[in-house]
Amino acid sequence: MIHTYLPNIKNADSNAFFLMAGPCAIEGEEIALRIAERIVTITDKYNIPYIFKGSYRKANRSRVDSFTGIGDEKALKILEKVGKTFGVPTVTDIHESHEAAMAAAYVDVLQIPAFLCRQTELLVAAAETGKVVNIKKGQFLSAESMKFAVDKVKDSGNDKVFLTDRGNTFGYQDLIVDFRGIPAMRNFNVPTVMDCTHSLQQPNQTSGVTGGKPELIETIAKAAIAVGADGLFIETHPDPANAKSDGANMLHLDLLEGLMEKLIRVRQAIL
């Protein structure tokens, strides 16, 4: 199914899940290319269809002095360069409807952040670009209610939709994953993805910096594949402790290949 959405995706005939992975935010050209090269080497080795992920700007921050980006056009051009250099599709998130056409000029997939998944104008603007639209499920919504977000995109003339689960709000400072949501969202006949890193966030910490539990990324990923997720979303970085955004819940890049090996075995076991 994935190749009908993204004709330029590599390894499209693989039985493996597809992977959306990269840094939380675009921090600079050199590190983006370095991360992409490492992931492409891994996904080529294991025939995993791959989409490079990087936010050109971070709009949802805990504090006003938190890192938001290196400049919109500069970051988008880096995303474009990654795509052309390695021959892979790219994804970035947008936050307001006027950003859709701008970002669509550089990337293949427009991502709707979880907190904005009910914003009709944003969904319609993304749909009207003709790009694939990846909608993250709101932490405050049931999986079943995401049908209406899918319908907004399709009713705007675009059938290329992904849905991504990223956990549910649990109290004030934690999230929990209800894996019933994966098959529920797959019932809408769209590729369904598990965000294995944001679902382990611990938001709204008193320090003003979001926490996380990256040691559970493997657990979340294995469970998602076991219940039939079509794809995985994983933020990764060679030095998470010094990443400019969401370092507390990112996977260390050195751990990615070992994780992919394990997940392929899980996938093969359920085919």
Side-chain angles (χ1 to χ4, degrees):
M1 179 184 289
I2 187 71
H3 68 278
T4 63
Y5 286 72
L6 292 163
N8 61 327
I9 197 165
K10 300 167 73 175
N11 309 313
D13 295 327
S14 171
N15 285 324
F17 52 88
F18 66 91
L19 178 66
M20 304 172 72
C24 178
I26 297 298
E27 301 175 3
E29 182 176 305
E30 186 276 332
I31 193 167
L33 291 169
R34 178 154 55 99
I35 293 171
E37 182 177 27
R38 182 80 175 275
I39 302 176
V40 167
T41 298
I42 295 167
T43 53
D44 280 354
K45 178 178 178 179
Y46 296 103
N47 294 315
I48 299 170
Y50 174 52
I51 304 167
F52 177 84
K53 184 270 167 186
S55 296
Y56 75 90
R57 174 158 44 87
K58 302 300 296 183
N60 180 13
R61 304 284 80 194
S62 297
R63 300 189 318 218
V64 73
D65 60 347
S66 298
F67 174 81
T68 58
I70 60 174
D72 292 358
E73 186 176 14
K74 183 177 180 181
L76 286 167
K77 285 183 175 179
I78 290 171
L79 282 162
E80 182 180 48
K81 184 169 183 177
V82 168
K84 290 180 176 178
T85 300
F86 299 104
V88 296
T90 55
V91 56
T92 198
D93 28 355
I94 59 173
H95 317 92
E96 298 184 60
S97 54
H98 68 83
E99 298 175 26
M102 174 184 68
Y106 298 92
V107 301
D108 303 277
V109 182
L110 298 178
Q111 183 166 283
I112 308 301
F115 281 127
L116 302 178
C117 68
R118 285 175 51 89
Q119 296 298 104
T120 301
E121 287 187 4
L122 181 61
L123 289 165
V124 171
E128 289 177 344
T129 68
K131 299 289 185 172
V132 177
V133 182
N134 179 37
I135 312 171
K136 285 198 167 184
K137 184 188 78 65
Q139 302 93 318
F140 45 88
L141 293 175
S142 69
E144 290 78 8
S145 67
M146 290 304 292
K147 175 184 183 299
F148 304 108
V150 171
D151 288 346
K152 288 176 183 179
V153 175
K154 291 188 173 183
D155 290 346
S156 300
N158 188 341
D159 291 329
K160 297 180 290 187
V161 189
F162 296 167
L163 285 177
T164 296
D165 195 347
R166 51 98 74 235
N168 302 314
T169 298
F170 186 70
Y172 290 106
Q173 294 173 314
D174 209 353
L175 298 166
I176 191 167
V177 178
D178 180 355
F179 285 99
R180 297 175 299 177
I182 298 294
M185 293 193 293
R186 291 189 84 234
N187 285 335
F188 305 142
N189 295 314
V190 298
T192 301
V193 181
M194 184 71 233
D195 183 340
C196 304
T197 46
H198 286 101
S199 61
L200 292 168
Q201 281 185 333
Q202 293 179 305
N204 305 318
Q205 299 298 302
T206 55
S207 65
V209 178
T210 295
K213 296 182 177 180
E215 67 274 11
L216 292 176
I217 291 171
E218 181 176 319
T219 300
I220 296 293
K222 285 178 176 177
I225 295 298
V227 299
D230 300 290
L232 297 176
F233 180 107
I234 297 175
E235 289 188 339
T236 183
H237 194 282
D239 185 11
N242 290 302
K244 295 183 181 295
S245 178
D246 280 2
N249 54 267
M250 279 201 278
L251 180 72
H252 196 293
L253 189 56
D254 289 345
L255 301 176
L256 184 64
E257 181 169 0
L259 177 59
M260 293 301 105
E261 289 179 345
K262 293 176 182 178
L263 296 177
I264 286 171
R265 291 199 294 271
V266 175
R267 177 73 168 182
Q268 291 170 341
I270 65 170
L271 287 177

